[in-house]
Amino acid sequence: MQTYLEYSEEGGSAHKFYEARVDDCTLTLRYGRIGTDGQTQVKTFASPQAAAAEAMKKLAEKRRKGYVEATPGEREKRNVPQPALRLPRALSPYRGVLEATVRPSVRLSGVRAPARPWSSKLGGVPYRLLGTDAPLSRDGHPLTFLAQLNLAEFPALPGFPAQGIVQFFIRDDDYYGANFEGSLDATSLGDAANFRVLYHPEVVQDTARLELAAPAYQPDPDGNGLPHDPAQEFVLRGELMSGPVTGDDRLFEHLVGQSLWQLGGEMEEDGEADPLTDRYARLAGAGHKLGGYPNFTQQDPRRPEDPHVLLFQLDSDDDLDMMWGDVGIANFFIPPDDLARGDFSRVAYHWDCC
């Protein structure tokens, strides 16, 4: 017994075949895009009758979905337009609004290695011209160098300066320099009393003009440490990515009408549980990033009307000795108009954890 079916939509994305062949107690299923060898699945049954019954069941399922009998080789392989996003089925009704949110970002990774003063890095020696002061908190306490991004080392992102170094400094107080009073668009949370973001639009690559000594770490007597070891230096590298709005972003529920958690989960074809939240997180992207959409362990602190966009995100990462509280995530946000002008004076800083 051998039956071959095809399903093809004119102008659509479906152009597939399905074949079932029974040889004694063995059922061979072959399926895929027309014009390719497809995938093969072989099952063995206790009797030829059981194998044939399973084949009839599979073929009936395909016929209900619109597959019809055909002759192999009559239709040629064709280029089928692929959707911009491979969405889980539960999100298919929202494809239009989610695909419209796709934007590029730079996925960041780090490696423990000595870095030049002007390199993108976590920890170590920050870029600083001789004769300039290190940043202080509003009450005069030295801030600790967290990271710097040399924008010329990464793929260009729309709305970002093409060059210059952006630096991030935080305080080793109970909240790592963040202010959790109010919402993110409130002036109190954007008030950089215990953190600083500096921008150097012109980068000097002459070590004779730079401060090469690592700043002395001065612990805050009332603090509980830092999310990182500032003496450890990690070189940062970037890879251009793109993805839709994350399920954590406050815009997701606004666009879809309900949260990702409310939409629930799905089952993979092999029967293994794979929650919708996990599948969408892999699609939308997480981890360390420049630009794109933020991730949170709790919730987005921005109101829907707040224009702040993600500037820089640092996740907890054992490989980088980075831990924000209890496996948390840190975000730096900026108004998009400020970002386009290279004005980093109003960056807001937030982190949360489990």
Side-chain angles (χ1 to χ4, degrees):
M1 168 190 170
Q2 181 172 346
T3 303
Y4 178 85
L5 307 177
E6 287 186 348
Y7 177 65
S8 185
E9 293 177 347
E10 291 301 325
S13 61
H15 193 57
K16 303 178 289 184
F17 73 90
Y18 190 87
E19 182 182 60
R21 187 179 75 248
V22 176
D23 298 299
D24 196 25
C25 297
T26 300
L27 169 61
T28 302
L29 301 175
R30 192 169 65 89
Y31 48 90
R33 294 200 175 276
I34 294 173
T36 69
D37 292 334
Q39 302 179 54
T40 301
Q41 186 178 32
V42 179
K43 299 182 178 181
T44 302
F45 295 84
S47 67
Q49 292 78 14
E54 180 66 12
M56 296 303 293
K57 175 183 174 184
K58 293 291 186 181
L59 291 168
E61 291 173 355
K62 293 300 178 181
R63 289 189 177 99
R64 285 197 293 270
K65 293 179 180 180
Y67 282 74
V68 296
E69 270 77 8
T71 301
E74 284 192 346
R75 281 196 177 101
E76 296 181 354
K77 180 180 180 180
R78 72 184 187 198
N79 292 326
V80 177
Q82 297 298 311
L85 298 174
R86 296 182 65 84
L87 290 172
R89 288 190 297 274
L91 293 176
S92 294
Y94 314 104
R95 175 174 298 280
V97 294
L98 293 177
E99 288 186 346
T101 68
V102 172
R103 69 171 57 156
S105 64
V106 175
R107 181 169 63 188
L108 301 170
S109 59
V111 58
R112 190 190 302 271
R116 296 173 299 182
W118 51 84
S119 295
S120 301
K121 65 175 79 173
L122 296 175
V125 180
Y127 173 88
R128 181 159 64 97
L129 291 173
L130 286 173
T132 59
D133 296 328
L136 305 174
S137 66
R138 184 163 297 167
D139 63 5
H141 186 81
L143 297 178
T144 301
F145 175 57
L146 173 65
Q148 70 184 29
L149 304 172
N150 186 333
L151 299 177
E153 295 179 342
F154 301 123
L157 290 175
F160 278 68
Q163 62 183 25
I165 290 177
V166 187
Q167 295 180 307
F168 304 84
F169 297 82
I170 61 175
R171 186 169 183 169
D172 63 340
D173 60 14
D174 289 348
Y175 300 125
Y176 306 148
N179 183 349
F180 295 125
E181 297 296 329
S183 61
L184 187 65
D185 55 350
T187 56
S188 61
L189 198 57
D191 184 10
N194 291 314
F195 76 96
R196 292 285 299 280
V197 178
L198 304 180
Y199 179 54
H200 308 273
E202 301 296 330
V203 179
V204 174
Q205 297 188 7
D206 180 358
T207 56
R209 297 174 56 190
L210 301 176
E211 177 60 67
L212 302 180
Y217 172 48
Q218 301 182 40
D220 190 320
D222 298 323
N224 287 323
L226 291 158
H228 70 306
D229 180 355
Q232 299 294 325
E233 192 168 59
F234 296 86
V235 176
L236 288 176
R237 298 166 179 166
E239 177 187 5
L240 186 63
M241 306 293 291
S242 65
V245 60
T246 61
D248 304 318
D249 194 290
R250 89 285 194 207
L251 293 178
F252 183 92
E253 188 168 354
H254 175 74
L255 292 168
V256 172
Q258 54 187 321
S259 72
L260 197 58
W261 287 100
Q262 290 172 317
L263 285 167
E266 289 190 337
M267 300 295 287
E268 293 283 10
E269 288 186 0
D270 60 6
E272 293 296 323
D274 190 13
L276 181 63
T277 51
D278 292 347
R279 298 186 66 192
Y280 191 73
R282 291 196 294 271
L283 174 68
H288 319 299
K289 64 177 77 169
L290 174 66
Y293 294 97
N295 304 98
F296 307 96
T297 59
Q298 299 293 333
Q299 61 185 15
D300 194 333
R302 298 169 297 170
R303 296 181 178 134
E305 67 275 12
D306 184 354
H308 282 86
V309 296
L310 180 65
L311 168 62
F312 177 43
Q313 175 169 294
L314 272 177
D315 205 343
S316 292
D317 188 336
D318 289 341
D319 291 338
L320 301 182
D321 292 332
M322 178 78 61
M323 184 61 66
W324 296 91
D326 184 8
V327 198
I329 302 174
N331 318 98
F332 292 86
F333 297 97
I334 187 170
D337 292 341
D338 287 6
L339 178 61
R341 290 195 304 268
D343 179 0
F344 293 84
S345 63
R346 296 194 298 164
V347 172
Y349 162 46
H350 171 84
W351 67 271
D352 62 15
C353 64
C354 299

